[in-house]
């Protein structure tokens, strides 16, 4: 199904910033009607019982989450469309495939800050030939059939492929009016050796705004502690591993800390 971005996008002023690394920041991203639909679905999932809504399944990350899985249809469909993927590839300059890992994150008031990291991490997916819908416009990670962090699969003979995160997007919604001092920003850093309390730049979690950046060895960022709730869909498009290693080398691909998912 074709997505008409002209009907769904609201603001047309997306800012490309170079400090402390290249990233895109935009406000009033989606049309009001779509934004309200996203809020309604987010709240519905947040209030659903465990196993159907949000779960505390991200060790080392002080948040609950809900993962999108193959076959998803709903208010967040725009993120998984071929049209939006092409738009994000064009504006970011990052070559991306249709392989995606995506979910919704919910930080409660007082949730602890994360650790500074760059998101240049591997991810395993079902090969298109093993996907139930090989012609789909998006190949969402499927934890029931392929472990995203290791490629392990409970089904013998299922073909999987290792990819690397290429483009990250954080979209902020249903957080209410934001003022300096509320916290909940995404901190951007020049290095992963500086204290988390000393970001080089801050991206506020303003409703209907987004942050996007190519995942590189220098795209250091993290969530910062908030005095209020912070809600955000978080998405990663991927690239073939050989593309990443040819550009930065095998050693630049960050391995997964044991027991953690970020």
């Amino acid at each position: 199904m074709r997505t008409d971005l002209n009907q769904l996008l609201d603001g047309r002023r997306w800012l490309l910033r170079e400090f402390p690394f290249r990233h895109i920041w935009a406000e009033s991203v989606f049309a009001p009607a779509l934004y309200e639909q996203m809020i309604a679905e987010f709240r519905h999932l947040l209030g659903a019982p465990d196993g159907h809504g949000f779960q505390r399944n991200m060790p080392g990350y002080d948040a609950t989450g809900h993962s999108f899985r193959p076959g998803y249809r709903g208010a967040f469909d725009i993120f998984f469309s071929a049209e939006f993927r092409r738009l994000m590839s064009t504006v970011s300059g990052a070559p991306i495939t249709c392989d995606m890992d995506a979910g919704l994150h919910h930080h409660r008031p007082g949730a602890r800050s994360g650790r500074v990291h760059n998101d240049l991490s591997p991810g395993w997916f079902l090969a298109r030939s093993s996907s139930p819908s090989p012609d789909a416009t998006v190949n969402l990670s499927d934890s029931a059939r392929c472990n995203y962090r290791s490629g392990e699969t409970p089904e013998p003979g299922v073909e999987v492929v290792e990819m690397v995160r290429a483009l990250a997007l954080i979209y902020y919604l249903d957080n209410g009016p934001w003022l300096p001092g509320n916290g909940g920003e995404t901190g951007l850093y020049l290095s992963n050796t500086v204290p988390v309390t000393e970001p080089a730049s801050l991206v506020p979690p303003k409703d209907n705004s987004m942050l996007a950046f190519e995942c590189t060895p220098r795209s250091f960022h993290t969530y910062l502690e908030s005095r209020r709730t912070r809600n955000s869909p978080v998405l990663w498009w991927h690239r073939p591993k050989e593309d990443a290693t040819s550009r930065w080398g095998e050693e630049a691909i960050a391995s997964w800390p044991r027991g953690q998912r970020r």
Side-chain angles (χ1 to χ4, degrees):
M1 182 176 65
R2 184 173 179 81
T3 300
D4 187 350
L5 296 183
N6 288 324
Q7 297 294 321
L8 300 178
L9 293 176
D10 189 18
R12 294 296 192 271
R13 189 168 180 261
W14 292 16
L15 302 180
L16 179 62
R17 297 171 169 173
E18 299 288 346
F19 182 82
F21 55 84
R22 178 175 287 223
H23 62 278
I24 297 159
W25 182 72
E27 293 186 279
S28 301
V29 177
F30 296 118
L34 176 58
Y35 176 66
E36 291 301 324
Q37 291 172 15
M38 290 179 175
I39 289 177
E41 183 170 325
F42 191 99
R43 291 177 178 177
H44 171 74
L45 291 169
L46 188 62
D50 286 349
H52 300 280
F54 282 66
Q55 299 178 330
R56 197 167 191 86
N57 57 1
M58 298 178 284
Y61 193 48
D62 196 8
T64 56
H66 172 85
S67 296
F68 292 109
R69 291 296 174 242
Y72 167 81
R73 294 301 304 273
F76 297 97
D77 276 346
I78 186 172
F79 289 123
F80 309 119
S81 67
E83 292 80 8
F84 193 74
R85 181 175 72 246
R86 286 193 290 268
L87 171 64
M88 294 308 303
S89 181
T90 298
V91 299
S92 68
I96 55 179
T97 68
C98 61
D99 304 290
M100 289 186 70
D101 186 40
L104 306 174
H105 290 181
H106 171 69
H107 294 83
R108 295 178 179 176
R112 298 183 303 277
S113 298
R115 63 184 183 87
V116 180
H117 60 282
N118 63 16
D119 271 5
L120 188 61
S121 304
W124 276 261
F125 293 82
L126 293 174
R128 300 291 282 181
S129 58
S130 297
S131 174
S133 303
D135 298 324
T137 58
V138 62
N139 185 28
L140 278 168
S141 58
D142 186 352
S143 60
R145 302 187 65 202
C146 173
N147 187 301
Y148 176 76
R149 292 182 295 153
S150 68
E152 296 176 355
T153 176
E155 303 175 40
V158 171
E159 184 182 359
V160 300
V161 59
E162 182 181 4
M163 309 292 285
V164 174
R165 288 177 171 179
L167 180 65
L169 185 151
I170 305 172
Y171 175 68
Y172 309 97
L173 85 168
D174 201 23
N175 296 311
W178 183 89
L179 296 172
N182 289 154
E185 302 100 330
T186 300
L188 308 182
Y189 299 80
L190 288 167
S191 167
N192 63 347
T193 62
V194 300
V196 70
T197 54
E198 299 179 11
S201 182
L202 293 170
V203 177
K206 294 183 178 180
D207 286 345
N208 200 15
S209 71
M210 76 171 189
L211 164 69
F213 54 87
E214 184 177 12
C215 300
T216 77
R218 302 199 61 81
S219 55
F220 297 117
H221 66 283
T222 199
Y223 159 82
L224 293 175
E225 182 176 348
S226 177
R227 296 180 178 178
R228 307 188 316 172
T229 293
R230 198 194 86 171
N231 301 316
S232 56
V234 182
L235 310 98
W236 295 272
W237 289 268
H238 292 66
R239 68 194 334 147
K241 183 178 180 180
E242 55 268 25
D243 286 359
T245 56
S246 65
R247 184 173 177 185
W248 298 297
E250 181 86 29
E251 65 281 359
I253 311 303
S255 59
W256 289 103
R258 183 177 298 275
Q260 290 190 10
R261 175 186 176 89
R262 64 170 183 260

